[in-house]
Amino acid sequence: MTAYEPTGAQDAAAAGHDLAYDAVVLAGGGARRLGGVDKPGVRVGGRPLLDRVLAACADARSTVVVAEPRPTARAVTWAREEPPGGGPLAALDAGLRHTTAEQVVVLSADLPFLDERTVRRLLAALGTSGADGALLTDADGRDQPLVAAYRASVLRRELGALTRENDGLTGLPLRRLTGALGLTRVPDPVASFDCDTWDDIATARARIREHGHVLDEWISAVKDELGLDLDVDTKLLLDLARDAAHGVARPAAPLTTFLVGYAAAQAKGGQGGPEAVAEASRKAAALALRWAEEAAAQSDAAPDASPDTRPDAG
């Protein structure tokens, strides 16, 4: 097995950007270490773990979730192994039957920190290495075969061989498949972090509230909750809120950003997109700056002005 060493995460993500792929998400495990709770439905940062994983593979050509159907933040295809609870190989085989792309990303449903950029890194590693699959390794260097990109034709071939040799796939461990593949590793201790225990859940919930993560996590949660598929420049909006608060009055910040969002929604018949948000933000920021400059000029020109000299005095 080889190690994939990208020159940088952004370069690797860009290299995988044009690769069409399907996604198979395995979400039907028993979660014994969580006391049998519905693990894909456990919330981290206000969002179910399954929805967080689905967001990471949102640009898949098709996404198959192997589990009993449930409400999700975006539409997916549902599949189920027979009999239910037959293990990861049986679930993977059931999911693959609904895919057609040559590249398939295989994910577990308990990855709170997986993102689209990491999925693209895996696809880039698969495309450039010539391997049968590219998988993440965790902080201890252990392979994570359920955070990986594979060549679908190879998976089908090996799963077919295992089925014939064992009269089915029920109960077979995942290593029976991965041991027959030529794989390359992509180290990522954060994206490979999975939630097997309540301590893991607590760790994930604490991390997303750290200063460097909380804003992005909150924005993602709000967009999911409101059904929005819109990438916006959050720095631009924060700068606007700051300018409105300082140049006008503190309550102007949330009101102004609300009005910017409303204006963007109205632009081009509701088809404005991120560009409309940016344009409305720029206009409102320029207005806040003019407001502040006017206030400063007025203060310099008439420092001793009394209430009865105001235009509304009477």
Side-chain angles (χ1 to χ4, degrees):
M1 185 177 288
T2 59
Y4 176 71
E5 298 290 347
T7 56
Q10 288 185 328
D11 292 342
H17 184 71
D18 294 330
L19 287 176
Y21 73 98
D22 291 334
V24 175
V25 181
L26 307 187
R32 288 184 294 274
R33 282 189 281 177
L34 289 175
V37 72
D38 175 30
K39 182 164 66 169
V42 172
R43 294 180 181 272
V44 173
R47 293 189 290 162
L49 284 169
L50 176 57
D51 280 344
R52 298 178 71 90
V53 172
L54 292 178
C57 59
D59 61 345
R61 197 170 65 180
S62 66
T63 299
V64 183
V65 180
V66 186
E68 288 299 319
R70 68 181 67 212
T72 52
R74 68 179 181 87
V76 300
T77 299
W78 296 96
R80 201 70 169 113
E81 74 274 23
E82 289 293 342
L89 285 190
L92 175 57
D93 183 63
L96 277 175
R97 295 176 186 275
H98 297 270
T99 66
T100 57
E102 173 54 18
Q103 290 80 29
V104 60
V105 171
V106 178
L107 306 169
S108 61
D110 60 353
L111 302 164
F113 305 127
L114 185 70
D115 59 20
E116 186 176 341
R117 186 167 43 194
T118 303
V119 169
R120 285 296 170 183
R121 287 178 60 209
L122 287 168
L123 289 165
L126 179 66
T128 59
S129 67
D132 297 327
L135 51 76
L136 292 193
T137 56
D138 65 16
D140 297 319
R142 292 174 299 198
D143 293 343
Q144 301 296 314
L146 295 183
V147 200
Y150 298 99
R151 300 189 192 281
S153 58
V154 176
L155 289 185
R156 292 190 177 94
R157 182 191 70 206
E158 296 301 327
L159 287 169
L162 286 170
T163 299
R164 291 188 295 273
E165 293 168 7
N166 299 275
D167 195 26
L169 297 171
T170 299
L172 294 182
L174 198 57
R175 63 177 177 274
R176 292 288 299 275
L177 171 66
T178 55
L181 303 179
L183 302 172
T184 187
R185 293 183 175 95
V186 178
D188 194 326
V190 176
S192 63
F193 181 87
D194 57 1
C195 293
D196 289 327
T197 68
W198 286 113
D199 283 344
D200 294 337
I201 297 291
T203 296
R205 287 172 170 170
R207 184 182 184 276
I208 66 168
R209 286 169 171 76
E210 294 173 359
H211 177 71
H213 309 287
V214 65
L215 187 59
D216 286 342
E217 289 287 349
W218 170 248
I219 294 300
S220 294
V222 171
K223 289 196 295 185
D224 269 8
E225 191 71 17
L226 299 180
L228 298 176
D229 182 15
L230 179 69
D231 290 325
V232 297
D233 188 339
T234 54
K235 182 180 183 301
L236 189 66
L237 289 174
L238 287 174
D239 288 347
L240 167 60
R242 179 204 61 207
D243 293 343
H246 292 172
V248 184
R250 190 172 299 275
L255 293 172
T256 304
T257 51
F258 165 78
L259 291 172
V260 162
Y262 188 81
Q266 298 297 307
K268 298 180 182 178
Q271 303 298 316
E275 297 81 5
V277 175
E279 178 63 19
S281 296
R282 283 190 290 268
K283 290 180 177 179
L287 175 62
L289 180 60
R290 295 197 301 271
W291 189 287
E293 289 174 344
E294 184 177 302
Q298 178 68 12
S299 176
D300 291 342
D304 299 323
S306 58
D308 60 2
T309 65
R310 297 198 314 257
D312 60 345

